[in-house]
Amino acid sequence: MITHPTSRLLTAAATGLALYSSLALGAGEKTYEGSASTISADSAKVVRSPGAPDLTEAEFSKAKQIFFERCAGCHGVLRKGATGKALTTDVTQPKGQAYLEAFINYGSPAGMPSWKDDLTPDEVTLMAKFIQHEPPMPPEFGMQEMKETWKVLIKPEDRPKKQQNRLNLKNLFSVTLRDAGQIALIDGDSKKIVSIINTGYAVHISRMSSSGRYLLVIGRDAKINMIDLWMKDPATVAEIKVGLEARSVETSKFKGYEDKYAIAGSYWPPQFVIMDGETLEPKKIVSTRGMTVDTQEYHPEPRVAAIIASHEKPEFIVNVKETGKVLMVNYKDIDNLTVTTIGTARFLHDGGWDSTHRYFLTAANKSNKIAVIDSKDGTLESLVDVGNIPHPGRGANFNHPVYGPVWSTSHLGDASISLIGTDPEKHPQYAWKVVETLEGQGGGSLFIKTHPKSRNLYVDTPLNPDAGISQSVAVFDIKNIKAGFKQLPIAEWADLGEGPKRVVQPEYNKAGDEVWFSVWNAKDQKSALVVVDDKTLKLKKVIKDKRLVTPTGKFNVYNTQHDIY
């Protein structure tokens, strides 16, 4: 067998510079992992490096912009490695210009996407030169910068003393309109849009205050909006930018501290900030830079991923992605802040509670593990091996007919669904073990969901390269789980015409008898929300509106407030 030289080159590239191992989802991967950084290229200083090819000022500026838009999501702003491998000069310069160009052009079997259809030949040459230079450093973002962006639009004393509208807040949905920089508030009863509220770019999550009054949303540009749902017309009452790029926000839930504090974590700078729970005034900033949990080497860019509020103590539980550490941040006295550090595994991402709200199960996605944290004792309970790149969202809890209470995750990298036993009291033989592995319809899953009143388990696959899979969802009957899944043609039911029409994030209404799905199309194409009857698995309603621009995440107020999933 004769091997083409380019093939040999790419095989070598796969072992040296692959973005992430064995997940070959093509365009879908780039959508998820390679999404644009919100950091402005103009904010990063030009850096010259010995041994690197010459670049003009204009070329360096253009390359910075491409890197932040295309590459930083995987390799990190400082190129120290994140989901993707490190692209520091000690790695890139020895490879040489031709090697790097080939790798950028053609990708690798290990998961590096090909960029030849997205970048011109000149841009590929430019990027191969750029990554041989030291990475430019974006600016820091401290207390002064935060306070310059902080606004209280309506003071707490001037807000309503009781609910001023007739909305059924318990069945209200906050829907991310990703590319519009907005959220839609939709009445879960009438299925009508209540209002469209301007936010930061690409809202990542919506979280409810403990009281159910305030809705907090955070965009990828690190802007937080606090929305008062009691107002006659719900609107933003406070806002702040907590950095240059971010993903997570949460509010205090422990008894006696309801609505007292909010917390947000940043991708850049790598830090979290504790804020006043009614005004978003920043109170305490904590850096997450430090040593990795395994090799004990310094990492300058450990990003803050999921944050969850403890029900057991006055604590926030903070995932630090690149170093693989879970921080138990006690907010009882923020002037004398106590932080317990729990080592788990690298590349922590998202996760959620077990059914008792004591154990936090969180994905270390590139380590292919689920870390189990005991929030009562403040310890690591277990590290559980699962499938390839777990991505549970918050996961899904249900009672298995054989194994008792389980929590489940689907995966980006394969079609498996891992069920983990979560009852160390009555089912100790199954606790913190994968008790069963289901076969879904494919890899590329972002969210899995069920409800205490439902007998169904829904698994989306929006990043699968097969349109028939990315435009549908798999549904398992919990009472007869070995029977396999049924496929629901969600995008077909939406009847939108052209476009990728990725179906993403099942979300239940309060009653647990409806499931909502986003049919996420391109910004210039029609999108929709599809509502399914959970009992019959039949189409119940398609919500179409020209204002529904790129809908993605949906968050039912009651379920989000009470951590029901």
Side-chain angles (χ1 to χ4, degrees):
M1 177 178 177
I2 299 175
T3 304
H4 192 277
T6 301
S7 298
R8 292 196 298 270
L9 183 61
L10 292 177
T11 300
T15 62
L17 293 173
L19 275 172
Y20 23 84
S21 62
S22 70
L23 173 60
L25 298 179
E29 265 187 325
K30 284 188 278 187
T31 300
Y32 176 68
E33 297 286 3
S35 56
S37 168
T38 56
I39 297 172
S40 168
D42 293 337
S43 68
K45 296 179 180 179
V46 173
V47 179
R48 296 288 187 244
S49 305
D54 290 339
L55 290 176
T56 67
E57 197 83 13
E59 288 174 329
F60 200 95
S61 179
K62 180 178 180 180
K64 282 192 300 181
Q65 189 69 41
I66 293 173
F67 186 85
F68 286 147
E69 288 181 352
R70 305 282 191 173
C71 315
C74 288
H75 297 284
V77 171
L78 302 182
R79 308 208 305 257
K80 293 288 187 179
T83 306
K85 296 287 187 179
L87 293 178
T88 47
T89 56
D90 61 315
V91 174
T92 57
Q93 285 190 11
K95 299 295 183 184
Q97 183 71 19
Y99 176 98
L100 295 173
E101 285 189 32
F103 188 78
I104 294 169
N105 256 322
Y106 299 105
S108 83
M112 169 73 171
S114 164
W115 291 100
K116 63 184 177 65
D117 295 328
D118 297 271
L119 301 176
T120 66
D122 287 345
E123 288 173 334
V124 169
T125 297
L126 174 64
M127 295 310 297
K129 292 179 178 179
F130 174 73
I131 60 175
Q132 295 177 69
H133 288 262
E134 292 292 338
M137 172 78 75
E140 299 296 323
F141 203 89
M143 185 63 74
Q144 179 181 338
E145 290 80 8
M146 286 188 196
K147 286 197 170 181
E148 287 174 355
T149 71
W150 171 51
K151 298 176 184 177
V152 179
L153 305 176
I154 302 177
K155 295 179 180 179
E157 58 266 29
D158 296 330
R159 299 171 194 168
K161 306 305 179 189
K162 60 181 181 180
Q163 187 177 339
Q164 299 294 306
N165 55 60
R166 295 185 177 181
L167 294 172
N168 177 9
L169 295 184
K170 292 182 178 180
N171 203 31
L172 189 70
F173 286 76
S174 172
V175 181
T176 296
L177 306 180
R178 188 186 187 280
D179 294 343
Q182 298 172 325
I183 63 160
L185 296 180
I186 300 182
D187 182 354
D189 298 335
S190 69
K191 313 297 189 291
K192 293 181 179 179
I193 296 176
V194 173
S195 61
I196 302 289
I197 298 175
N198 292 327
T199 62
Y201 170 70
V203 163
H204 193 66
I205 57 171
S206 297
R207 290 290 181 259
M208 291 304 306
S209 68
S210 183
S211 66
R213 173 176 184 168
Y214 295 115
L215 171 68
L216 283 82
V217 299
I218 188 166
R220 288 175 180 251
D221 58 358
K223 181 181 178 181
I224 302 173
N225 290 68
M226 172 183 278
I227 299 162
D228 188 351
L229 298 180
W230 281 12
M231 294 172 65
K232 183 179 179 181
D233 297 309
T236 296
V237 294
E239 63 181 46
I240 191 173
K241 263 180 69 72
V242 296
L244 301 179
E245 187 170 3
R247 297 292 188 276
S248 52
V249 68
E250 181 62 289
T251 66
S252 53
K253 292 185 176 179
F254 189 67
K255 186 176 181 180
Y257 294 87
E258 297 92 336
D259 293 11
K260 184 174 177 62
Y261 292 117
I263 184 174
S266 300
Y267 268 24
W268 187 270
Q271 62 194 29
F272 63 84
V273 57
I274 298 175
M275 300 162 285
D276 181 89
E278 288 192 314
T279 67
L280 299 183
E281 179 184 4
K283 297 289 189 180
K284 176 76 71 174
I285 302 172
V286 179
S287 173
T288 55
R289 292 181 170 103
M291 315 308 283
T292 60
V293 69
D294 44 12
T295 58
Q296 299 286 294
E297 59 185 308
Y298 179 73
H299 199 295
E301 193 187 348
R303 300 176 288 183
V304 177
I307 300 176
I308 199 164
S310 175
H311 298 268
E312 297 282 351
K313 298 177 183 178
E315 288 184 338
F316 293 118
I317 303 176
V318 178
N319 275 355
V320 185
K321 195 179 187 80
E322 279 73 21
T323 53
K325 296 176 181 178
V326 175
L327 308 181
M328 314 289 282
V329 181
N330 191 299
Y331 51 75
K332 186 176 182 179
D333 180 2
I334 65 170
D335 291 326
N336 298 283
L337 197 68
T338 301
V339 179
T340 300
T341 301
I342 301 173
T344 61
R346 280 216 255 184
F347 310 114
L348 291 167
H349 192 61
D350 54 351
W353 293 114
D354 79 307
S355 59
T356 70
H357 292 165
R358 173 173 174 173
Y359 298 98
F360 176 47
L361 293 94
T362 184
N365 56 20
K366 281 305 295 175
S367 297
N368 300 331
K369 296 179 185 296
I370 297 294
V372 183
I373 304 295
D374 184 342
S375 67
K376 184 175 182 178
D377 292 343
T379 56
L380 175 66
E381 192 74 13
S382 184
L383 276 175
V384 185
D385 292 320
V386 291
N388 189 21
I389 311 183
H391 195 289
R394 288 200 151 190
N397 290 296
F398 62 92
N399 279 310
H400 192 282
V402 176
Y403 305 110
V406 298
W407 179 93
S408 51
T409 181
S410 50
H411 298 84
L412 270 167
D414 61 41
S416 70
I417 297 133
S418 299
L419 310 185
I420 298 172
T422 61
D423 184 7
E425 298 297 325
K426 295 181 180 179
H427 300 82
Q429 69 273 37
Y430 304 131
W432 321 132
K433 299 174 183 176
V434 174
V435 294
E436 187 168 356
T437 300
L438 309 177
E439 188 72 11
Q441 64 174 351
S445 176
L446 293 181
F447 298 100
I448 185 170
K449 189 63 70 77
T450 188
H451 187 279
K453 295 182 179 178
S454 173
R455 64 177 291 163
N456 294 316
L457 178 69
Y458 296 85
V459 185
D460 71 10
T461 43
L463 301 189
N464 195 284
D466 185 326
I469 295 175
S470 65
Q471 295 179 8
S472 62
V473 296
V475 189
F476 292 85
D477 182 345
I478 291 169
K479 303 297 183 183
N480 187 23
I481 208 157
K482 291 187 180 297
F485 63 86
K486 295 180 180 178
Q487 187 184 65
L488 302 186
I490 303 296
E492 179 182 320
W493 288 345
D495 190 24
L496 295 175
E498 295 183 352
K501 299 185 292 290
R502 289 167 291 194
V503 175
V504 64
Q505 205 238 358
E507 177 76 342
Y508 281 83
N509 63 346
K510 177 186 180 295
D513 58 10
E514 291 178 356
V515 189
W516 293 38
F517 298 91
S518 297
V519 185
W520 173 20
N521 229 344
K523 186 176 182 179
D524 58 350
Q525 294 169 317
K526 294 179 181 178
S527 293
L529 301 178
V530 171
V531 182
V532 173
D533 186 307
D534 182 62
K535 298 281 192 296
T536 65
L537 301 183
K538 301 296 185 183
L539 174 64
K540 189 170 185 178
K541 176 75 174 179
V542 177
I543 304 173
K544 293 183 180 179
D545 191 293
K546 64 181 181 180
R547 296 172 291 176
L548 289 179
V549 178
T550 57
T552 52
K554 302 162 300 304
F555 302 88
N556 174 268
V557 164
Y558 184 85
N559 294 338
T560 303
Q561 177 188 355
H562 295 282
D563 292 321
I564 296 172
Y565 37 81

